[in-house]
Amino acid sequence: QNATFEFLVNESTLVRDIYNLPPFENWETQKVHHPTFVLYGENSICRPMAEKLLNRIKHSELKIYEGDHGILTKYSADIANDLKIFFSN
């Protein structure tokens, strides 16, 4: 995991791409009309965006997992199960 992180930060365009995103308030999230599953780690530096997404996307559901920004790899089985439940409703 550490090698992947190092690659993404140091050798890909990920960081530059993130800094070049338009301000969150300009995203057209209000046009999303489908149920949306929003997931964040409780200690993720991006978590404040979760509350904004919930307020801007109708029919959204928030799930907070223990941890930081690496929840997809740490809780992949739990997330897969939660997604199955979300999409079955």
Side-chain angles (χ1 to χ4, degrees), residues 35 37 39 61 63 65 75-89:
F37 189 71
L39 55 137
E61 178 181 320
K63 177 77 182 230
Y65 298 87
Y75 297 104
S76 58
D78 294 332
I79 291 170
N81 187 56
D82 290 338
L83 285 169
K84 285 179 190 176
I85 293 168
F86 178 78
F87 287 116
S88 68
N89 292 331

Side-chain angles (χ1 to χ4, degrees), residues 1-29:
Q1 281 182 337
N2 217 10
T4 302
F5 176 78
E6 293 295 325
F7 171 80
L8 288 173
V9 170
N10 298 318
E11 298 182 42
S12 76
T13 63
L14 177 67
V15 174
R16 183 180 68 229
D17 293 344
I18 291 171
Y19 279 110
N20 288 328
L21 286 171
F24 178 77
E25 290 73 20
N26 293 344
W27 294 6
E28 295 184 351
T29 52

Side-chain angles (χ1 to χ4, degrees), residues 5-6 24 32 34 37 39 43 47 59 67-68 71-72 74 78 80:
F5 176 78
E6 293 295 325
F24 178 77
V32 177
H34 298 284
F37 189 71
L39 55 137
N43 300 319
R47 184 163 170 208
H59 312 293
D68 54 22
I71 60 170
L72 289 175
K74 188 173 182 180
D78 294 332

Side-chain angles (χ1 to χ4, degrees), residues 20-72:
N20 288 328
L21 286 171
F24 178 77
E25 290 73 20
N26 293 344
W27 294 6
E28 295 184 351
T29 52
Q30 71 278 6
K31 291 183 179 180
V32 177
H33 298 288
H34 298 284
T36 305
F37 189 71
V38 180
L39 55 137
Y40 282 87
E42 66 183 343
N43 300 319
S44 173
I45 61 171
C46 299
R47 184 163 170 208
M49 187 178 292
E51 299 300 326
K52 290 182 181 180
L53 285 171
L54 284 178
N55 291 327
R56 294 177 60 103
I57 300 175
K58 293 179 183 180
H59 312 293
S60 61
E61 178 181 320
L62 175 64
K63 177 77 182 230
I64 301 292
Y65 298 87
E66 285 185 34
D68 54 22
H69 201 65
I71 60 170
L72 289 175

